Amino acid sequence: MTDELERRLSAPASPALDVDHLRAMLARRAAEDGLLDVAYGSYDSPLGPLTVFVTPRGLVRLSYPGEPIDEQLDELAARISPRVMAAPERTDDVRHQLDSYFGGTRRDFELPIDWRLMRGFRADVLRATARIPFGSVVSYRDVAAAAGSPNAYRAAGNALGSNPVPIVVPCHRVVHAGGGLGGYTGGLERKQFLLRLEGVLDR
Amino acid sequence: MHLPPFERLVDAHAAELHRFLIGLVGPTEAEDCLQETYMSALRAYPRLRHGDNLRAWLYTIAQRKATDAVRRSSRRPARDLDGVEPVAPSGPDLADDGLWLSVRALPAKQRAAIVHRFVLDLAYAEIGSRMGISEEAARQNVSAGLRRLRQEVTP
């Protein structure tokens, strides 16, 4: 039975909600109240659109296009905190430094890294990788040695392949001792691009 | 089971929660209530033990925020005594203002049940599960609310 009263109840004049505005407001308030544990934003790089994820501790993840964003958000929610929201302005520092790196005016990143996605030997390998200077390359064996296990170069290769913060933790600077470039998470063309940018490979 | 990234709760439920809150507190206050609902949820979120029925959890919070807002606005004229201008209650927000003021004056459960039933167009079983009451209790709250509205609102 639908009568006049029920009809009026079913049709309140409801203004539409601007969900993007709500998201932005919530992200800002969350950051102010210290409730934004993982913020992210996208960055248009010469290597395609990257996604930058930061925590109050620092840069936690930098991902290449093609890595499904929902899966990354799920992983961060599970491993860091479920308080995850898009908040591009929180990633401005990272984006500006990437700008100057790709623009050729920056050699070293001055960014705190949140290492929580890396554990054990993998973390050791990536910390050693973070110390490789701009414009130079080392072998997988070198980086394994620097991480404390010279013979674990295959494991070192796996660790580099799962680097959560490529470019900034420069796993592209690790190559085969014999001269081959080795592999790269973002694809070999991107590794070549970065090594050309740094003057290791001819342009 | 892990909790989903918080922003997914915003994308999935904000529009419907907004309509729910419009029914409970009117459009002027609904957006504030919605923000407060999500801020409270965000604060408590990592402490949840599981991700079951996050929607019902959000509706519980929204209903509490709406009750606070209604209580606040009914207390507002008292501020007059302190020399502060009284704030007009929501004003002619809705085309059907008289009716919605009466809805807002209903007891909390009847009000929520009415809004779930008519604004969100939900079946009684679903209303019950969202309100944490039985299907039958949902039905009773809707009909009690309707009875009361029929007495107050002249068609």
Side-chain angles (χ1 to χ4, degrees):
Chain A
M1 178 200 79
T2 305
D3 64 10
E4 178 62 14
L5 176 64
E6 295 183 18
R7 192 194 56 74
R8 286 163 68 195
L9 285 169
S10 303
S14 46
L17 175 70
D18 182 345
V19 178
D20 288 339
H21 174 72
L22 174 68
R23 281 172 63 141
M25 291 296 293
L26 291 172
R28 187 194 310 164
R29 289 185 61 187
E32 282 168 9
D33 292 1
L35 299 172
L36 185 51
D37 298 339
V38 181
Y40 70 95
S42 67
Y43 171 76
D44 275 322
S45 82
L47 298 174
L50 310 180
T51 313
V52 180
F53 302 81
V54 298
T55 73
R57 295 189 199 182
L59 177 63
V60 71
R61 182 101 171 78
L62 184 62
S63 65
Y64 279 120
E67 302 180 56
I69 183 90
D70 279 347
E71 284 175 23
Q72 297 175 66
L73 293 171
D74 281 332
E75 192 199 349
L76 289 161
R79 296 189 55 187
I80 305 287
S81 162
R83 286 176 180 149
V84 180
M85 298 179 84
E89 66 284 353
R90 311 296 297 178
T91 66
D92 280 349
D93 192 21
V94 179
R95 297 192 292 176
H96 292 152
Q97 293 200 26
L98 286 168
D99 269 344
S100 51
Y101 171 77
F102 284 117
T105 58
R106 170 180 293 280
R107 296 165 61 93
D108 301 306
F109 291 99
E110 292 151 69
L111 292 168
I113 305 283
D114 183 336
W115 295 93
R116 278 179 289 175
L117 294 180
M118 307 165 229
R119 297 244 164 87
F121 182 65
R122 200 171 143 228
D124 296 339
V125 168
L126 291 166
R127 281 178 198 270
T129 304
R131 292 192 292 269
I132 306 168
F134 179 96
S136 60
V137 288
V138 305
S139 71
Y140 288 94
R141 200 176 287 275
D142 290 339
V143 87
S149 310
N151 292 323
Y153 57 93
R154 273 182 212 285
N158 290 337
L160 294 165
S162 63
N163 178 9
V165 277
I167 305 171
V168 177
V169 171
C171 56
H172 58 278
R173 294 175 193 155
V174 183
V175 298
H176 282 307
L181 282 184
Y184 191 60
T185 1
L188 205 55
E189 282 174 20
R190 291 199 172 100
K191 189 169 192 171
Q192 286 165 338
F193 178 96
L194 293 169
L195 291 175
R196 271 199 300 274
L197 176 78
E198 298 189 6
V200 174
L201 295 179
D202 291 335
R203 284 179 185 262
Chain B
M1 183 206 150
H2 290 300
L3 296 167
F6 186 78
E7 67 173 13
R8 221 170 274 163
L9 301 191
V10 180
D11 293 342
H13 305 300
E16 204 190 58
L17 277 167
H18 184 232
R19 278 191 290 144
F20 176 66
L21 286 165
I22 287 174
L24 294 183
V25 300
T28 314
E29 303 237 27
E31 269 205 60
D32 275 355
C33 278
L34 186 60
Q35 260 194 46
E36 295 310 319
T37 298
Y38 275 112
M39 287 306 295
S40 287
L42 181 63
R43 214 162 275 127
Y45 194 45
R47 294 193 299 273
L48 289 185
R49 294 241 189 82
H50 55 75
D52 301 345
N53 222 345
L54 292 169
R55 186 208 291 258
W57 176 64
L58 287 171
Y59 274 90
T60 309
I61 300 172
Q63 207 168 314
R64 205 161 57 223
K65 295 295 173 191
T67 307
D68 291 349
V70 168
R71 203 174 289 150
R72 256 197 324 273
S73 66
S74 67
R75 247 191 253 130
R76 252 178 219 158
R79 283 197 214 154
D80 202 12
L81 300 172
D82 305 317
V84 179
E85 281 295 302
V87 182
S90 295
D93 291 321
L94 296 166
D96 221 344
D97 202 39
L99 171 62
W100 288 97
L101 287 177
S102 300
V103 171
R104 261 159 258 161
L106 290 173
K109 274 194 180 165
Q110 291 178 19
R111 181 163 25 106
I114 290 275
V115 172
H116 276 308
R117 176 69 192 92
F118 296 106
V119 178
L120 302 185
D121 194 27
L122 297 178
Y124 291 110
E126 179 65 22
I127 299 170
S129 96
R130 291 199 193 182
M131 291 179 61
I133 58 180
S134 69
E135 178 176 351
E136 189 45 38
R139 193 187 304 274
Q140 281 166 9
N141 275 298
V142 169
S143 51
L146 280 178
R147 224 167 17 246
R148 201 147 157 169
L149 289 173
R150 278 187 224 286
Q151 288 164 5
E152 290 180 14
V153 181
T154 37

